[in-house]
Amino acid sequence: MQISSTSSSIKLTNHHHMIRSSSDHQHQWRHNYNLKQLFVPSSCPNLSVSNSPLNQSVAAIVFGGGSDPELYPLNKTRSKGAIPIAANYRLIDAVISNCINSDITKIYAITQFNSTSLNSHLSRAYSGFGIEKDRFVEVIAAYQSLEDQGWFQGTADAIRRCLWVFEEFPVTEFLVLPGFHLYKMDYKTLIEDHRRSRADITIVGLSSATDHDSGFGFMEVDSTNLVTRFSIKPEKDQQDFISVENRTTRSEETSSCCVPSTGIYVIGREQMVKLLRECLVKAKDLASEIIPGAISEGMKVKAHMFDGYWEDVKSVGAYYRANMESIKSNRFYDRQCPLYTMPRCLPPTSMSEAVITDSIIGDGCILDRCVIRGSVVGMRTRIADEVIVEDSVIVGSDIYEMEEDVRRKGREKKINIRIGIGEKSRIRRAIVDKNARIGKNVMIINRDNVEEGNREAEGYVIRDGIIVILRNAEIPNNSIL
Amino acid sequence: MQISSTSSSIKLTNHHHMIRSSSDHQHQWRHNYNLKQLFVPSSCPNLSVSNSPLNQSVAAIVFGGGSDPELYPLNKTRSKGAIPIAANYRLIDAVISNCINSDITKIYAITQFNSTSLNSHLSRAYSGFGIEKDRFVEVIAAYQSLEDQGWFQGTADAIRRCLWVFEEFPVTEFLVLPGFHLYKMDYKTLIEDHRRSRADITIVGLSSATDHDSGFGFMEVDSTNLVTRFSIKPEKDQQDFISVENRTTRSEETSSCCVPSTGIYVIGREQMVKLLRECLVKAKDLASEIIPGAISEGMKVKAHMFDGYWEDVKSVGAYYRANMESIKSNRFYDRQCPLYTMPRCLPPTSMSEAVITDSIIGDGCILDRCVIRGSVVGMRTRIADEVIVEDSVIVGSDIYEMEEDVRRKGREKKINIRIGIGEKSRIRRAIVDKNARIGKNVMIINRDNVEEGNREAEGYVIRDGIIVILRNAEIPNNSIL
Amino acid sequence: MQISSTSSSIKLTNHHHMIRSSSDHQHQWRHNYNLKQLFVPSSCPNLSVSNSPLNQSVAAIVFGGGSDPELYPLNKTRSKGAIPIAANYRLIDAVISNCINSDITKIYAITQFNSTSLNSHLSRAYSGFGIEKDRFVEVIAAYQSLEDQGWFQGTADAIRRCLWVFEEFPVTEFLVLPGFHLYKMDYKTLIEDHRRSRADITIVGLSSATDHDSGFGFMEVDSTNLVTRFSIKPEKDQQDFISVENRTTRSEETSSCCVPSTGIYVIGREQMVKLLRECLVKAKDLASEIIPGAISEGMKVKAHMFDGYWEDVKSVGAYYRANMESIKSNRFYDRQCPLYTMPRCLPPTSMSEAVITDSIIGDGCILDRCVIRGSVVGMRTRIADEVIVEDSVIVGSDIYEMEEDVRRKGREKKINIRIGIGEKSRIRRAIVDKNARIGKNVMIINRDNVEEGNREAEGYVIRDGIIVILRNAEIPNNSIL
Amino acid sequence: MQISSTSSSIKLTNHHHMIRSSSDHQHQWRHNYNLKQLFVPSSCPNLSVSNSPLNQSVAAIVFGGGSDPELYPLNKTRSKGAIPIAANYRLIDAVISNCINSDITKIYAITQFNSTSLNSHLSRAYSGFGIEKDRFVEVIAAYQSLEDQGWFQGTADAIRRCLWVFEEFPVTEFLVLPGFHLYKMDYKTLIEDHRRSRADITIVGLSSATDHDSGFGFMEVDSTNLVTRFSIKPEKDQQDFISVENRTTRSEETSSCCVPSTGIYVIGREQMVKLLRECLVKAKDLASEIIPGAISEGMKVKAHMFDGYWEDVKSVGAYYRANMESIKSNRFYDRQCPLYTMPRCLPPTSMSEAVITDSIIGDGCILDRCVIRGSVVGMRTRIADEVIVEDSVIVGSDIYEMEEDVRRKGREKKINIRIGIGEKSRIRRAIVDKNARIGKNVMIINRDNVEEGNREAEGYVIRDGIIVILRNAEIPNNSIL
């Protein structure tokens, strides 16, 4: 990193100072940091700051995700966190793996919307997580109680109602995490930053230049990374935003407005309790109510910038894009930061004559004479002879369906086609959800170039120009979609 | 069960015929059965009836229990199934253990009310249940979906909304089980009976003479164990019941009315689907709607009688009684039918000078110079010097609280008393719920002989003449209750 | 069950009584069996034979395998049972899976030779096998004791020394299983046969016409499946064998000599104790000493014939053949009889441009522009650009090796090549053992058509005309083998 | 530890410096340490020393223990590490728990002598230790290989032969631990000390003044904690020892001789490999060969002093003493440092009228009208009416034996007495090993005050004046021992 002597360089320094999670910059950062110490003694890191190991002192609260219409039909029977991704995983595995790899081992997952698959996945995948009572991934499903018979009304409401659970262990910070983002972050660095700066709340912001409309709000950050303003909707308030800026006579150089928030927060235990139980007892949402409220209350809210790969899987298009990214990723093979998921013992993938280009193939597939290009093919996928799959996501299957199963189900439910993709079919730029039954000679190519369309009765939906075959849907032989 | 006074010998025969689960009567039953074969060939067991092993062909659906006011405050923060019982267990363990011991290994637990503790218990206790995908205890918590944003409206509604989950495996029968009853039953015999009689639904009825008001309805059963009528409330309809009886001119000898149902049903898979999805699509409750509806639809509904120990833990009094029963039980030490629960590795119980009579003591207690008589003392209970506990249930503690913990919590929440029972206190005929803090020299003796009373602000409630100290409550030194 | 008095009904009864492990041949076999029944009515099934469930009444004793020179170098650092097979498995998984699928859930594995990998595999793969104390796969490694400081001297000696362990549960039969055979058998049928025939010992024999020299001995079986003679070496004794035959004046039609034994025995608990502790206290081996001894002692030794796929992986050639068979098998996808192994959560297989024909690919491979034909490619295999693999077994890797790992190891141990197969290499009809490092432009083609050769110093061995690259071996760039 | 009488202040400082694991002294230690920094800059802690987390960088190698005659008959069928202790535990649990609590999560347990119980315990107790591949307790049982068909010849030989296993993970240090010592140590402090001092090997020495004859050798330590000499037998060499001392003209103040070693070593990975594979390729034992050899080779061997509770359970007397200590201990209830062991779900202890003083009672006992004083009563112990147990260790039982079990076993083996302690028996200062059957009216009081005696045929042995009833032994009614 180049440091010039002008004032702008200070900003850059600060900027880099904010980058914690990118190991490449670590050494430079230390260097700068030391330099800074000489001149800014008042903000020097306090040596007495808690050094307690994260597995003792931090609990993660992961949200399973709500009923996001942009994701339909992928979330028709499952919550966001449970959506299968990258052939072998579920979305939530990315965040849970980040926690484990950061030695944060008390993990609560709050679920409410379509939670069955997610609860099942989490219980099975992480049940063997530890014999120690303080290593766990515990699902907290929405529940009725005598005092409160309604559903969780938002993230803040959910945490408030579950505080009695979270208070079990004497942790000092809560790490709040949306469970449906794809990224790799070392939360250790984040927590250390939070502790060093003696913040009440630390929000992870995105420093990369992309126009993420994360939905988790935007923050105005000063040169010390202090969040001076937080707003859930930047566009509308933009004008006002700037004017406030002017009124406070802050120099433009030292303040960057509209840093998008990731919805990741480190919140001190006492601050969490105070905000939810004392200051903002009616607040339902963290982003729109608790964070601005904390700033109003005078709490020290800091930003921690992240600039790695980040994907908020918030729409069918984003889901498609994330899968395509996963093909190129070598994230998977990093021994230091493995991606955890449900352990399985599936058979090897069997291929009778497959030509596969730029694709990833999940465990235990059965691929006959077929061509697969630029695609993600999930677990237990069956692809018959003369099939061509291009630029698509085949989610896979929960079971190996036998011919006899098809016959039995045929009698019960008029099902005639086996799970998988039938002979001579062709799939291009589509998503085939789990357990779908694609007949023979089917063309899934979005022939009419439709951008948005709902043909649920026929087993599919078109979103962002991508055909999505519904879970369990049956597409008859010779269909052209 | 009401047995009329005539033709007792025939009725007794039928009676024994119905007894399946009680091994004492097995020999007699066989005898009768064989005799019967000679004369009733038409009802002989059909050899072609499915013999598929239960772990492949039956799935259990266990209900975690609702907001039963009679159980308050024991269910204030937990569902019925999660209530601790017999020092080391939770109520639901009895039913889950029955399943495992009967080789029924696909177990779904439906939870909604105060489900957090129950979900956590089930996940932790039974996570290591099997590597095979078809051995599981899976929690299905109430959830919102796009089609249905409300809570489960009743047992039938819950099953209907989860049918898509239950249909995963090709089982032939569902075994529906309330998760908060205490009894030991071999469900194998029940299923065999169901299959042999070619019933659509088999309901377990209580044959013992006690006046169980089970809340699961009452059935009229003829001499072939056919359920001819089912009513949820016998008392009110009793008159009408009998008159209908008369109108149908059924002879008194062959019919016994008002057999209480246990709420345990074996329902054929196809029948379940038909009833919930076709015949009674609006029905919310099994007992009050589906069962009578099935009879109306002409389905063959049979009774299977049970006459062993049975306790529906539906009130504070019943809970107290069940604990007292557990002291006398040698149920625990039966190698063939172990009671499963959360595996733990607690330290041994330490006793400095304890005189203990007719009591059971859970794992890892710390008992100083104290006297314990006729009581159930749960895990990790601390009892200080000169304490006398009589005829009481001490539920125990989730943690070993250190002096330093008390100090820390004291600062945060004004707590001053350590979890457990302080010196020189005396407890008689009371229930001390989990993590309660009883000070020194406290008398919990129901001094004023109150039958019912609510002193929640002071940390206790009186139900059925029993003082219940609330979970986490703190009773100051020198209190007299 | 209705039993009428005519002879045909007896046949029917016997028919129902029926047996067998090989579904393909079931019908034919039944036919034969019925014919046989006509003449031997005295052996009709006894109805009082034990029907206790196998998970309560049978314990399996599985042997991990010894130092078989024919298998070298595959068993250089691991026992037979631990040899990787079919991309995702270890040999012993086949037998353990047979047990689990047959509901035999008390499994002891006796290990001694190169047992580390096997013990580790069994512990990790089957640790989550059950919460019930009587469901387990327990490794019994060779050990020294005060009475006996030597190694196990043979299968009989090993069982004798471990009887105190096997006696823990009140089982009625032991099922003795070599742990390194590939086959699918329903042991339930075997046990039922054993019980029905009231045998003391039942030996599984191979009925198929192949010339298996199983090494487990040969038996002479009469028309009632009674084993009248047992010899470990048929060839030498053949003459004598026949003459004995003649002396006993047994008709040739009803007796088949030289049925090869599989080494699978069902032995009654009491008989096992009596043979090992009373009759043959010095015997070391089951096949050569205990079985002939039992016949001499007058015990009833029966044969149970098996005619399905069977492979004794006893040589490099057999290992190669078994892998080639696994490519064609659809054994893997049978939901009723899954093959268990170590659960893993590996990433999907990544392919940049792979043309794969008639092959199976294990979990988590990284395949660049390569051609794979008729091969088994094990877990985590890396294959670089322009590689051709034909008719080969690539065992795979234990880890994903990073470039930095290679550098670190390079400093330590002069390793320069990454685990996997380097660019432009070509492998034909070879076995590449685990973690091997094949450089760039390497030809492994057995250029000189060597049948047997030992080049261990150079990292390989040739057996049965197949080149075997040793585990962890490094083959330098441009080598031609 | 021998402390000479001069210059006590300096020595005490050093003394405190050496105390690492005792938190009480932490503050003093820091104080001294800081002071020291001012004057001894050359030995200042190097900031660049590896800070990699212990779960990544350290592997523990735990030894299960050999055939120690002093422990007979407790080790008759089990290795030292598997001996039950403190009602609920096995000896090895103490060391494994130390590892887990110190965040050392790669644990290899080397077993050879009577290893069956130990292997089984470790597999079952710690199987659920983690889903991450690098968290494990892996048993490495003695095994035969093609190169080496003998048993492990000693600790060094065992490590050498297993180095190929230990090298799997890129750890930087091995922590070698005897698995049969009772103590609580934070190995983090030990490793930090090792790293800070840049030692090749760090040996834990006992600083407390007791005359431990640990059998692990004695070291001469200078004022910088450098081990200048190491000898396995101090007594004989004492004279020579001192003379060497004199010859090297080391001042008495700065050197303490004869510090007993605990057999705990931290050894750098490279040093381990070098010593075992290059320098001392024939050495069999760590204490007598490798450690002195390392000193001769000029390696930097340092001492790390420990002065907490320590018990080497090396004799029947030590075992008895350790159990008596466990009664007084509050070690068990420390939430920060739990003692792990096999998770169980036993029923509560049932007491019909028990008077229990200064005792610990394991899980699931059945105590009738009895008096227990100063005793350790293990899991599932049954004590009948009118029994008095004093100052004894009752190890407990593996099962709940039913009356029918006794009858069945009676037929098989002439057993007539149920497991447990029969009516009116009296036990004083004795050890009753597992599954022993003590009849009615038995007196186990060492009537004749025998110090040593072997009556194995009668089911007991007397060691150190303590009667030891053998495992599974049966003591007939009315016996007086």
Side-chain angles (χ1 to χ4, degrees), chain B residues 238-471:
Chain B
Q238 196 70 17
Q239 208 55 36
D240 177 51
F241 212 60
I242 286 165
S243 63
V244 170
E245 189 77 21
N246 291 343
R247 276 202 301 278
T248 57
T249 67
R250 216 168 273 138
S251 76
E252 278 185 85
E253 297 91 56
T254 59
S255 164
S256 50
C257 73
C258 291
V259 174
S261 161
T262 59
I264 299 177
Y265 313 108
V266 185
I267 307 184
R269 176 202 183 94
E270 287 172 30
Q271 290 85 340
M272 180 77 95
V273 171
K274 194 175 167 201
L275 287 167
L276 294 178
R277 290 214 182 117
E278 295 173 28
C279 307
L280 300 157
V281 295
K282 303 259 181 186
K284 294 176 181 171
D285 189 54
L286 287 173
S288 63
E289 296 173 86
I290 294 293
I291 299 300
I295 296 174
S296 301
E297 293 280 335
M299 284 194 178
K300 186 174 182 182
V301 179
K302 298 277 279 189
H304 174 97
M305 302 308 290
F306 178 78
D307 67 350
Y309 170 73
W310 177 273
E311 182 82 55
D312 178 5
V313 184
K314 68 183 169 191
S315 68
V316 167
Y319 174 75
Y320 178 81
R321 201 162 54 238
N323 272 288
M324 292 301 117
E325 278 300 318
S326 77
I327 295 173
K328 291 176 254 164
S329 172
N330 56 5
R331 161 79 184 85
F332 298 128
Y333 312 106
D334 183 347
R335 290 177 74 189
Q336 302 306 314
C337 299
L339 260 174
Y340 297 103
T341 188
M342 172 112 64
R344 295 168 302 262
C345 53
L346 289 184
T349 287
S350 161
M351 304 191 188
S352 65
E353 193 174 341
V355 178
I356 302 176
T357 315
D358 294 333
S359 297
I360 56 176
I361 310 290
D363 298 349
C365 294
I366 302 175
L367 309 181
D368 288 341
R369 282 191 296 118
C370 62
V371 173
I372 297 172
R373 276 197 285 265
S375 294
V376 170
V377 176
M379 284 184 290
R380 297 192 196 81
T381 297
R382 257 181 218 267
I383 297 183
D385 281 350
E386 297 180 54
V387 168
I388 300 176
V389 175
E390 290 169 294
D391 304 328
S392 292
V393 180
I394 314 295
V395 171
S397 168
D398 283 322
I399 56 166
Y400 290 110
E401 200 174 43
M402 304 282 139
E403 285 293 351
E404 66 197 53
D405 294 323
V406 179
R407 279 194 297 273
R408 183 176 53 78
K409 289 176 188 166
R411 287 190 302 271
E412 282 178 24
K413 297 192 216 170
K414 317 287 184 227
I415 279 174
N416 299 302
I417 295 170
R418 206 173 178 179
I419 292 174
I421 299 170
E423 286 168 34
K424 301 193 184 176
S425 289
R426 177 148 193 184
I427 299 175
R428 198 170 57 210
R429 208 174 140 72
I431 297 169
V432 177
D433 207 340
K434 200 176 264 190
N435 301 334
R437 303 159 186 280
I438 311 295
K440 297 178 187 176
N441 215 19
V442 170
M443 305 284 275
I444 302 178
I445 52 175
N446 195 3
R447 186 176 48 169
D448 304 325
N449 271 314
V450 178
E451 266 304 296
E452 302 288 324
N454 188 321
R455 311 290 281 274
E456 274 203 61
E458 290 155 56
Y460 67 101
V461 159
I462 307 179
R463 307 296 304 261
D464 302 329
I466 299 158
I467 292 187
V468 185
I469 307 295
L470 271 71
R471 189 176 173 183

Side-chain angles (χ1 to χ4, degrees), chain A residues 154-353:
Chain A
T155 48
D157 184 58
I159 294 178
R160 186 186 295 111
R161 284 176 61 184
C162 300
L163 265 182
W164 65 279
V165 180
F166 304 147
E167 284 178 318
E168 183 180 2
F169 293 97
V171 299
T172 49
E173 287 98 3
F174 294 110
L175 173 61
V176 177
L177 300 166
F180 34 82
H181 291 165
L182 290 174
Y183 61 100
K184 177 169 134 185
M185 190 187 296
D186 181 2
Y187 299 137
K188 264 182 210 166
T189 320
L190 167 63
I191 303 285
E192 283 164 15
D193 190 20
H194 173 81
R195 290 177 179 177
R196 196 185 302 111
S197 71
R198 298 182 162 281
D200 294 303
I201 297 178
T202 298
I203 303 174
V204 176
L206 290 173
S207 60
S208 52
T210 58
D211 56 344
H212 283 289
D213 172 5
S214 70
F216 291 99
F218 295 82
M219 40 188 175
E220 181 190 309
V221 176
D222 76 7
S223 64
T224 67
N225 276 333
L226 192 73
V227 177
T228 51
R229 206 175 149 180
F230 191 94
S231 169
I232 199 68
K233 288 175 193 154
E235 296 85 3
K236 295 176 187 170
D237 305 332
Q238 196 71 14
Q239 208 55 35
D240 177 50
F241 213 60
I242 287 166
S243 64
V244 170
E245 191 76 22
N246 291 342
R247 274 205 302 277
T248 57
T249 67
R250 219 168 269 141
S251 74
E252 278 185 84
E253 298 92 56
T254 59
S255 165
S256 51
C257 73
C258 291
V259 173
S261 161
T262 58
I264 299 176
Y265 314 108
V266 185
I267 307 184
R269 176 204 185 93
E270 287 172 29
Q271 290 85 341
M272 180 75 95
V273 171
K274 194 176 168 199
L275 286 166
L276 294 178
R277 290 215 183 116
E278 294 172 29
C279 305
L280 300 157
V281 293
K282 303 258 180 188
K284 294 177 181 171
D285 189 53
L286 287 173
S288 63
E289 296 173 86
I290 295 293
I291 301 299
I295 296 174
S296 302
E297 293 280 334
M299 283 192 180
K300 186 174 182 181
V301 179
K302 298 277 280 189
H304 173 98
M305 303 307 290
F306 178 79
D307 67 352
Y309 169 73
W310 177 272
E311 182 80 54
D312 178 6
V313 183
K314 68 186 168 189
S315 68
V316 167
Y319 174 76
Y320 179 82
R321 199 162 57 236
N323 272 286
M324 292 301 117
E325 278 299 316
S326 76
I327 296 173
K328 292 176 254 164
S329 171
N330 57 6
R331 161 77 183 87
F332 298 129
Y333 312 106
D334 183 347
R335 288 177 75 189
Q336 302 307 314
C337 299
L339 259 174
Y340 296 103
T341 187
M342 173 111 66
R344 295 168 301 264
C345 53
L346 288 184
T349 286
S350 162
M351 304 191 186
S352 66
E353 192 174 341

Side-chain angles (χ1 to χ4, degrees), chain B residues 86-89 327 329 332-336 339-367 377 382 399-402 404-405 408-409, chain D residues 86-89 327 329 332-336 339-367 377 382 399-402 404-405 408-409:
Chain B
N88 274 359
Y89 302 94
I327 295 173
S329 172
F332 298 128
Y333 312 106
D334 183 347
R335 290 177 74 189
Q336 302 306 314
L339 260 174
Y340 297 103
T341 188
M342 172 112 64
R344 295 168 302 262
C345 53
L346 289 184
T349 287
S350 161
M351 304 191 188
S352 65
E353 193 174 341
V355 178
I356 302 176
T357 315
D358 294 333
S359 297
I360 56 176
I361 310 290
D363 298 349
C365 294
I366 302 175
L367 309 181
V377 176
R382 257 181 218 267
I399 56 166
Y400 290 110
E401 200 174 43
M402 304 282 139
E404 66 197 53
D405 294 323
R408 183 176 53 78
K409 289 176 188 166
Chain D
N88 274 359
Y89 302 93
I327 296 173
S329 172
F332 298 128
Y333 312 106
D334 182 348
R335 290 177 75 190
Q336 303 306 314
L339 259 175
Y340 297 104
T341 188
M342 172 111 65
R344 295 168 302 263
C345 53
L346 288 184
T349 286
S350 161
M351 304 191 187
S352 66
E353 193 174 341
V355 178
I356 302 176
T357 316
D358 293 333
S359 298
I360 56 176
I361 310 290
D363 298 348
C365 293
I366 302 175
L367 309 181
V377 176
R382 256 181 218 269
I399 56 165
Y400 289 110
E401 199 173 43
M402 304 283 139
E404 67 196 54
D405 293 324
R408 183 176 54 77
K409 289 176 187 166

Side-chain angles (χ1 to χ4, degrees), chain C residues 194-207:
Chain C
H194 172 82
R195 289 177 178 177
R196 196 184 303 110
S197 70
R198 298 182 161 282
D200 295 303
I201 297 178
T202 298
I203 303 174
V204 176
L206 289 174
S207 61

Side-chain angles (χ1 to χ4, degrees), chain B residues 149-162:
Chain B
Q149 308 211 350
W151 297 98
F152 296 150
Q153 301 297 309
T155 49
D157 184 58
I159 294 178
R160 187 185 294 110
R161 286 176 60 185
C162 299

Side-chain angles (χ1 to χ4, degrees), chain D residues 1 18 203 205 218-229 241 245 250-260 301-305:
Chain D
M1 183 176 171
M18 295 184 292
I203 303 174
F218 295 82
M219 40 187 174
E220 181 191 310
V221 176
D222 77 5
S223 64
T224 67
N225 276 334
L226 192 75
V227 177
T228 51
R229 204 175 152 183
F241 213 62
E245 189 78 21
R250 219 167 270 141
S251 75
E252 279 185 83
E253 298 92 55
T254 59
S255 164
S256 50
C257 73
C258 291
V259 174
V301 180
K302 297 278 279 189
H304 174 96
M305 302 308 290

Side-chain angles (χ1 to χ4, degrees), chain C residues 411-479:
Chain C
R411 287 191 302 271
E412 281 177 23
K413 299 191 214 169
K414 317 287 181 227
I415 280 174
N416 299 303
I417 296 171
R418 205 173 178 179
I419 291 174
I421 299 171
E423 286 169 32
K424 300 191 184 178
S425 289
R426 177 147 193 187
I427 300 175
R428 197 171 60 211
R429 209 174 139 72
I431 296 168
V432 178
D433 206 341
K434 199 174 265 189
N435 301 332
R437 304 160 184 281
I438 311 295
K440 299 178 185 178
N441 215 20
V442 170
M443 306 284 275
I444 302 177
I445 54 175
N446 195 2
R447 185 176 50 169
D448 305 322
N449 270 316
V450 179
E451 265 304 294
E452 303 288 325
N454 187 321
R455 310 291 280 274
E456 274 203 62
E458 290 156 54
Y460 67 101
V461 158
I462 307 180
R463 307 295 304 261
D464 301 329
I466 299 158
I467 291 189
V468 185
I469 307 295
L470 271 71
R471 188 175 172 183
N472 300 322
E474 191 176 36
I475 306 296
N477 297 341
N478 306 309
S479 304

